[in-house]
Every structure is written in C-alpha cells, then in structure tokens.
Amino acid sequence: MKTALITGANRGIGLEFARQYAAEGWRVLACARHPEKAGELQMLANQHPERMKVHALDVADHRQIDELGRSLSGESIDLLLNNAGIYAEAHRSGIFRSEDYEAWMRTFLVNTMATLKMAQTFASQIARSSQKKIVTISSKMGSIEDNDGGGSYMYRSSKAAVNMVVKSLSIDLKQAGVIAVVLHPGWVKTDMGGANALISSAQSVSGMRQVIDRLTLKDSGRFIEYDGKPVPW
C-alpha cells in the first residue's frame, strides 16, 4: 500500500488530495493545525479507518515537524505533499506597507521554509519508499516571467522562493532517487482562490494526481501546471 503524507489537509486542495488518494487505496497521513476543528477531514478519516490517520501539525513550528518525524520514523512515505500555505488579506490588496513585514515573515515560514524542513525531516522515509516523490503546491504567482500584474509581494516572493528550494532539492536528492517538483494547481474555487475561480478542487487534484503518477526522475526540478503543461520560472 502506497503512503502519502499531506500537509494542510483540513480543507480545499489538501482535503481533496486526501479524499482522492484514500479512495484510490492509498494510506493517507493527513496533517492539520487543529484536527479537532477539521470536521470534514475527521469524517473522511472515519470513512477510511484502516487507511487514514490525522496528525496535528503546524508547519510553521519546526518542533512539531521534528516530533511528527520521530513518530513516523518507521514509515515509508511514497509521496510528501507540501500543500499547506497562506495568502493573507494584506496580500489581496496588493498594497506594500511597512506594517506587513511580520506577516511576510510568517508567510515565508509557512510557504517556503516549511517545504525544506519537511524534506529534511522525512528524507529517509521518502528515500526508502517505492515512489520517492516530493511534490510542493506552488503557484504561477511565483513565476517571475509570468508576473505582469505586480503587487502581492509577500505571496509572490514566498512562492518564487519555494520554487528555488525545490529546484535545489531536486539536485541534492537526485542520488537518492528522489523526485522533487512544484505544481501549479490552477485557479481553484477554494477559500484562497475565491468563488470566481475557474476550476473545482476535484478537477485540480484529479489533474495533479495524473501528473504525479507520471513523474520520473527526469522530471525532477520541473515547474508543472495541473494539466501537465510546463510553467515558466
């Protein structure tokens, strides 16, 4: 049975990943900051009691990541899905203000640093699996070439930075046979994407799962859209 470790699994894209992978027979280790408040995730776990376990994890807290790493030290993790991310209201306005610096640091902790910390913590569990995949949910808003709208300094910079983190991971983990990529999920109808977004979580995740299934070591270090198209850096 293949195993997926998913961060930010309490809602939106993360919840849909957990739902689809559990339905496909995967063992799912689903992480959320406050599992006791994650009603839909708990209901899903109750539907798949033998294949799904919910873990408390705030990816901005490195001590919690270390604790989870120790508790899962005996696992083989086929897929690490770095999905947890934040997009604060300050970002939506596109206004650059000095009082946003604290929020900017928090954004980097969650959107950028957590990806490297998760990879460092679970590298051995991933390397001994059959799939050996690290997938990080990024965004076209982190593409420097694609930025023709300006604004969103915090979110754009955090996603551009995590793209570089994953690119370096793809090089450093190549000898271990680990595949590391970043995916753009599309403009998705979630709390983050809003009601005017173009596709549903189910459509986005279904597409990304097809991309993930086809990944080989030759794809490591790529930036890929949910429909398989390359995204410019």
Side-chain angles (χ1 to χ4, degrees):
M1 186 181 295
K2 294 186 288 292
T3 299
L5 173 59
I6 306 171
T7 65
N10 56 302
R11 62 181 182 177
I13 290 172
L15 180 63
E16 187 60 31
F17 265 120
R19 180 180 291 114
Q20 291 194 23
Y21 274 121
E24 286 292 316
W26 283 57
R27 186 160 173 263
V28 176
L29 307 173
C31 301
R33 280 190 301 162
H34 304 291
E36 70 281 1
K37 298 179 182 179
E40 286 187 80
L41 181 59
Q42 293 291 358
M43 287 177 60
L44 183 62
N46 290 336
Q47 293 170 14
H48 303 279
E50 296 181 359
R51 295 200 298 271
M52 196 166 172
K53 187 171 182 181
V54 179
H55 296 272
L57 179 67
D58 180 350
V59 296
D61 188 334
H62 288 188
R63 289 175 298 179
Q64 286 191 29
I65 295 176
D66 287 335
E67 289 171 6
L68 183 62
R70 286 191 289 270
S71 70
L72 299 178
S73 60
E75 298 283 353
S76 292
I77 297 172
D78 294 274
L79 172 63
L80 167 59
L81 245 170
N82 292 306
N83 167 74
I86 56 176
Y87 189 83
E89 287 299 318
H91 305 178
R92 296 181 191 276
S93 67
I95 298 172
F96 183 75
R97 300 178 304 191
S98 60
E99 63 265 31
D100 291 335
Y101 280 96
E102 186 174 343
W104 199 350
M105 287 189 286
R106 172 73 181 180
T107 301
F108 261 83
L109 274 173
V110 175
N111 291 359
T112 308
M113 297 179 192
T115 290
L116 180 58
K117 180 61 177 176
M118 290 292 291
Q120 290 171 327
T121 302
F122 295 98
S124 60
Q125 292 97 315
I126 297 164
R128 65 171 173 251
S129 73
S130 60
Q131 296 276 317
K132 304 179 197 278
K133 295 173 181 177
I134 299 175
V135 172
T136 298
I137 305 304
S138 184
S139 170
K140 275 187 176 179
M141 290 186 73
S143 166
I144 293 172
E145 185 176 339
D146 192 66
N147 181 4
D148 56 7
S152 299
Y153 294 94
M154 298 181 223
Y155 189 73
R156 287 188 187 277
S157 62
S158 71
K159 289 302 186 179
V162 82
N163 291 350
M164 182 60 81
V165 166
V166 175
K167 179 63 177 180
S168 286
L169 282 174
S170 73
I171 296 167
D172 295 336
L173 297 177
K174 185 176 182 179
Q175 191 170 4
V178 174
I179 303 163
V181 301
V182 282
L183 297 184
H184 170 59
W187 188 13
V188 187
K189 295 177 182 177
T190 61
D191 290 344
M192 186 181 293
N196 294 325
L198 299 177
I199 60 174
S200 67
S201 294
Q203 290 172 298
S204 173
V205 169
S206 178
M208 286 190 287
R209 283 184 51 239
Q210 291 181 49
V211 173
I212 293 168
D213 288 346
R214 295 193 297 263
L215 290 175
T216 69
L217 201 55
K218 291 181 180 179
D219 297 308
S220 199
R222 293 182 61 201
F223 190 3
I224 310 169
E225 198 160 353
Y226 77 99
D227 57 4
K229 296 176 183 175
V231 181
W233 292 107

